Structure formats: C-alpha cells, structure tokens
Amino acid sequence: MIDMDENDISFFKDGLRLDGRRTDQLRPIKIEVGVLARADGSCYIEMGGNKVIAAVYGPREVHPRHLQEVTRAIVRYRYNMASFSVEERKRPGPDRRSYELSKVSREALEPVILTSYFPRSVIDVFVEVLQADAGTRTAGINAAAVALVDAGIPMKSMISACAAGKVADTIVLDPMKEEDNFGQADLPIAMTPNGDITLLQMDGNLSPDEFHMAVEMAMKGARDIYEIQRRALVEKYSQLEAPTVEVKACE
Ligand code: ADP
C-alpha cells in the first residue's frame, strides 16, 4: 500500500526530474511493428517503463450480428492491464478504469479510420499493458495506431498521443508514475500530425495559462512521437522486398 503524499516527494533535483529528464523531455521510446504472427496488424511499444502490445484484427465479420452497421465498420477497442503489470497485483479482468480507457482510446482513433469502406464489419483493437508506469492509455493509442497501419486499415491520418502533467507547480511532459500518482494534474491528448485533437482529458487542477502550456507541451510531444511511429513503419516496410512483376513486351 502506498502511503506517501505529494509533500513527501521532491520532484526536482538541480532542475531535473526524478529520472534525470528536463521538464519538456519525453521518456525513451521504442516501437516494433508486426510482432504477432496471427494478428492482421500489431505493434509493441515501450515508452519509459510502459510496455504495451497492440493487436488489430479485421475488417472481419461482426459477432454478435446485431452490432452490425449497414453503412460502416464498427471499431472495438479493448484496453487491458495484466495483473502483473503493476507493483501490487491488479485483480484481473475489466473494471471501471479499463472501460473508460477503452472508450476514450476508441474515440481517439475512430475519427481517422475510413470505416465507410467496410460496411457490416468490425475492426477489433486489443491493447495489453504488460508493464505500467503512467501514460499507458497514450502508449496504447500510439501502439494501436501503428498496428492499424500494419493491418492495412485505410486511415485519413496517423494518431499520436502524449500526456503533460503538473508537479510541484511545474508543467512537465510525459509524467512517469511518481509524477502522475503524486502530482497535481495529468492531461493526456491524442492528435493527428496536423494538430487535430481526438482525445483530451484532464485530471486535477490547472489554471487557464497552465492548461494552455500543458496542451502545447503535450502536442509537441505527440509530434515527436509521430516521427518515431513513422520511422518504425518505414523501417519495417522498407525491409520488405518489392513484389516482382513480370512485364511482357507487347506483341
Ligand atoms: P495512465 O496509465 O493512462 O496514465 P492512469 O492515470 O489511470 O492512466 O494511471 C496511472 C498509472 O497508475 C498507471 O500507468 C499505472 O502505473 C498505475 N495504476 C493504474 N491502475 C492501477 C492499479 N489498479 N494498481 C496499481 N497501479 C495502477
């Protein structure tokens, strides 16, 4: 049981954060594309201490059938935290938090998916958190967006997600667990590379100026993450050999 509060923690030392980062610095990010053989698309992401895997299946037939939409595909998103992903064993199975995160994450991705191309079908996104260190919803969305591309799902644009927070009256990028749990605010966002925001949540209190600063900082973080997502996809697909096409001379 954690029995610390915000006053027990010194969040900064010599101007740097507990893990040595500047206030506007992301944690290290690693993205691997196409890690699951049986999924249509998949992605493994590490964002600091978060380890998350996303798997995409579809477009495929909808079960149960009454969920079918005649004009578009439906999108389902299941966020799940493994019981071993946190220090104190988490009770397995869905809970209020996972329902909320599944809903907001689906809503963060759905606007860019061209669902009208696949009427009466479903695109299923499964996100499994293997290790959690704050920012799992944003890590999940980043992995899911890459997995959707890997599955060949037509999308209007990419989605990248990042959070900003407030600790010891300072706005910081990409809070880690101690900063998230004992900080004053947490503000995750998801957006397209053009800056169209598809998710914006806020936990805690921020003044209007702090709010704007946090949004700006999170958007800058999301732009940097977009570059990493893009590079991971280019790396995967540039390794594939181009299909050989036989061209016959016209007779
Ligand atoms: P996010 O992971 O998107 O930041 P929260 O703000 O709800 O979502 O959670 C922050 C962090 O708190 C998680 O990443 C995880 O490290 C920790 N956490 C969340 N739920 C639990 C839980 N049931 N048991 C232990 N730690 C948890």
Side-chain angles (χ1 to χ4, degrees):
M1 188 73 186
I2 300 168
D3 56 1
M4 298 164 83
D5 69 28
E6 196 194 317
N7 302 322
D8 294 329
I9 289 195
S10 161
F11 287 105
F12 294 99
K13 190 166 178 257
D14 303 329
L16 296 177
R17 292 153 73 179
L18 290 170
D19 56 1
R21 278 185 294 157
R22 297 186 315 271
T23 52
D24 62 349
Q25 199 175 346
L26 288 168
R27 290 174 285 183
I29 297 177
K30 180 181 142 189
I31 296 180
E32 227 175 299
V33 187
V35 289
L36 300 175
R38 281 184 283 279
D40 293 313
S42 59
C43 174
Y44 170 70
I45 192 166
E46 286 180 11
M47 288 181 71
N50 294 303
K51 297 185 178 192
V52 177
I53 209 155
V56 169
Y57 297 82
R60 62 183 178 181
E61 218 173 284
V62 187
H63 294 287
R65 291 220 160 198
H66 67 86
L67 295 177
Q68 271 186 4
E69 291 283 345
V70 284
T71 57
R72 63 176 180 90
I74 61 164
V75 179
R76 291 190 293 216
Y77 189 111
R78 195 194 71 175
Y79 166 102
N80 181 54
M81 225 161 120
S83 50
F84 53 80
S85 66
V86 285
E87 264 169 55
E88 286 262 323
R89 179 180 178 278
K90 182 200 163 284
R91 196 159 172 249
D95 51 26
R96 273 174 60 133
R97 180 175 171 276
S98 69
Y99 281 124
E100 177 209 323
L101 267 55
S102 298
K103 178 179 184 289
V104 298
S105 303
R106 174 179 55 74
E107 289 171 351
L109 292 164
E110 212 169 8
V112 299
I113 301 174
L114 292 165
T115 52
S116 60
Y117 285 18
F118 308 105
R120 298 179 189 278
S121 63
V122 59
I123 296 162
D124 276 311
V125 183
F126 296 94
V127 166
E128 297 289 327
V129 178
L130 308 176
Q131 187 173 289
D133 188 33
T136 58
R137 87 193 64 195
T138 48
I141 292 168
N142 290 328
V146 171
L148 283 164
V149 175
D150 186 41
I153 305 288
M155 289 155 76
K156 280 185 258 183
S157 90
M158 193 56 172
I159 291 288
S160 312
C162 188
K166 180 180 168 186
V167 287
D169 297 326
T170 308
I171 303 297
V172 295
L173 183 62
D174 185 22
M176 58 175 171
K177 190 166 158 291
E178 289 77 3
E179 294 171 332
D180 184 303
N181 290 176
F182 308 114
Q184 296 152 301
D186 182 31
L187 185 143
I189 67 149
M191 65 174 214
T192 67
N194 289 340
D196 293 331
I197 291 182
T198 58
L199 168 122
L200 196 157
Q201 294 185 284
M202 195 176 111
D203 204 5
N205 294 314
L206 293 172
S207 71
D209 283 349
E210 288 170 337
F211 174 80
H212 284 114
M213 202 174 153
V215 171
E216 281 300 314
M217 201 182 255
M219 288 178 79
K220 159 99 180 41
R223 273 191 203 100
D224 292 343
I225 290 168
Y226 167 66
E227 274 310 313
I228 302 169
Q229 290 171 305
R230 201 179 63 80
R231 256 185 276 140
L233 284 160
V234 168
E235 196 177 306
K236 157 98 191 278
Y237 285 100
S238 60
Q239 280 171 7
L240 297 179
E241 282 185 23
T244 40
V245 183
E246 206 177 312
V247 184
K248 283 190 182 160
C250 295
E251 287 169 10

